[in-house]
Amino acid sequence: MPDDLFKALADPTRRTILDELTEQSGQTLFEICARLSMKHRLGISRQAVSQHLAVLEAAGLVETRREGRYKFHDLNTAPLRQITERWPTHDTPEPEERTP
């Protein structure tokens, strides 16, 4: 799982897709393509975006749900939390110790 996660995050287009899902979760493929084209000036095909979403979904960063004919994509940050919890820092004081 971590290898898939790092592979998914290595691509700048996939990171941009995650940024867009952070701004507005629950977007369709059409909405994501429109935002990438209009906001980021990315000339990328719908099929390419679909493939990027498949990689993100395989890494657990994107979850999908169907409502009628539409498929919505939602951001899932749980895999990112697992990564940050893997290497905790021990030199950061506890919140109680910070207050004077």
Side-chain angles (χ1 to χ4, degrees), residues 31-88:
E31 291 169 323
I32 294 169
C33 289
R35 289 174 74 105
L36 293 176
S37 175
M38 301 295 285
K39 189 174 174 184
H40 300 280
R41 306 278 185 219
L42 291 177
I44 185 168
S45 71
R46 187 178 171 139
Q47 291 79 17
V49 174
S50 180
Q51 289 176 347
H52 283 301
L53 285 168
V55 172
L56 292 169
E57 189 174 357
L61 291 167
V62 170
E63 295 178 334
T64 60
R65 59 186 156 83
R66 286 202 172 272
E67 290 181 23
R69 295 175 35 204
Y70 299 100
K71 183 178 180 182
F72 297 92
H73 301 83
D74 295 294
L75 177 67
N76 179 20
T77 58
L80 297 174
R81 282 193 301 274
Q82 291 172 354
I83 291 294
T84 59
E85 292 168 357
R86 182 175 174 174
W87 296 290

